[in-house]
């Protein structure tokens, strides 16, 4: 009994620790934290790096003013044409890039191929992608390709929240509130708000 209590205390200690930043990390060019708003960053299809919109915009201005060819501001590869984008994604998947694997899972999900999406999300989550953990929670909650499973949903929410995923943290707060644990719910929401 004492061991179970101590294990629960250690789990809560890890769960309620404020992450240093969001799961999105920093822009690899300017090293500023990436916004949680996906419209304020862009994923480069050549190298699967997410860069802030400011660095992307600055690179476009530099290219226009200098009459230069369009290139990725991170890896400097020429901007791929639409048919090259999918080929680049597949190459990144073969290299076990968790961001590319999650992105392919998102494409599969949009197409309605839930089994394929689950497979890609599980692989990306296994490689440590926190966005994939969050996507899995959505799949388990909405019964897309899997049976509704609250335990697995909470497991993946906790993994994503510990890593700094604010929406996962918010959803954990909602689950705590539904369970009648308002004090824990408020802690989750405060941590989410600070991200």
């Amino acid at each position: 009994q004492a061991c179970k209590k101590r294990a629960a205390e250690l789990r809560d200690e890890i769960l309620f620790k404020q992450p240093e930043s969001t799961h999105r990390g920093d822009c690899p060019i300017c090293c500023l934290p990436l916004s949680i708003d996906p419209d304020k960053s862009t994923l480069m299809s050549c190298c699967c790096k997410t860069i802030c919109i400011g660095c992307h915009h600055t690179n476009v201005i530099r290219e226009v003013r200098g009459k230069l060819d369009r290139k990725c501001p991170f890896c400097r590869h020429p901007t791929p044409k639409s048919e090259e984008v999918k080929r680049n994604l597949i190459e990144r998947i073969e290299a076990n890039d968790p961001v590319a694997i999650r992105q392919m899972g998102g494409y599969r999900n949009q197409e309605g191929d839930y089994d394929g999406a689950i497979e890609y999300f599980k692989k990306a989550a296994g490689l440590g992608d926190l966005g994939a953990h969050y996507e899995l929670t959505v799949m388990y909650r909405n019964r897309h390709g899997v049976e509704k499973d609250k335990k697995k949903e909470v497991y993946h929410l906790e993994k994503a929240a510990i890593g700094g995923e604010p929406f996962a943290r918010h959803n954990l707060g909602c689950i705590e509130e539904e369970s009648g644990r308002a004090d824990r719910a408020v802690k989750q929401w405060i941590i989410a708000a600070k991200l």
Side-chain angles (χ1 to χ4, degrees), residues 19-182:
E20 290 182 20
S21 65
T22 70
H23 70 293
R24 297 189 40 109
D26 298 334
C27 173
I29 297 172
C30 66
C31 298
L32 293 174
L34 290 168
S35 172
I36 61 169
D37 181 356
D39 292 336
K40 294 185 178 176
S41 60
T42 186
L43 179 68
M44 305 311 296
S45 61
C46 48
C47 57
C48 284
K49 293 291 183 187
T50 303
I51 63 168
C52 71
I53 202 71
C55 289
H56 178 69
H57 183 69
T58 302
N59 187 56
V60 170
I61 289 172
R62 181 187 63 81
E63 291 169 344
V64 169
R65 286 185 181 160
K67 298 181 174 119
L68 304 170
D69 292 335
R70 298 276 314 229
K71 292 186 177 182
C72 170
F74 183 76
C75 70
R76 299 293 183 203
H77 283 182
T79 302
K81 295 176 178 36
S82 59
E83 64 273 0
E84 294 174 328
V85 170
K86 191 162 189 166
R87 189 176 67 233
N88 286 346
L89 184 63
I90 291 169
E91 286 176 12
R92 298 301 310 156
I93 290 169
E94 289 170 355
N96 274 340
D97 182 334
V99 175
I101 295 168
R102 174 176 35 95
Q103 189 175 15
M104 183 59 85
Y107 291 149
R108 293 285 187 260
N109 191 20
Q110 288 173 348
E111 294 167 358
D113 177 9
Y114 300 129
D115 293 334
I118 285 285
E119 183 181 323
Y120 281 109
F121 289 146
K122 283 182 176 180
K123 185 173 182 181
L127 293 170
D129 186 80
L130 299 171
H133 279 290
Y134 181 72
E135 292 297 335
L136 283 168
T137 68
V138 175
M139 301 294 278
Y140 283 114
R141 183 176 56 244
N142 296 335
R143 289 180 251 173
H144 289 167
V146 290
E147 291 294 318
K148 186 171 183 157
D149 189 331
K150 195 70 165 177
K151 274 188 166 183
K152 287 184 180 179
E153 178 187 352
V154 170
Y155 169 79
H156 289 290
L157 275 176
E158 287 179 353
K159 285 284 196 183
I162 289 167
E165 215 296 349
F167 300 111
R169 184 69 70 175
H170 171 267
N171 291 354
L172 271 178
C174 293
I175 289 172
E176 295 286 9
E177 183 187 37
E178 290 169 5
S179 300
R181 297 185 295 252

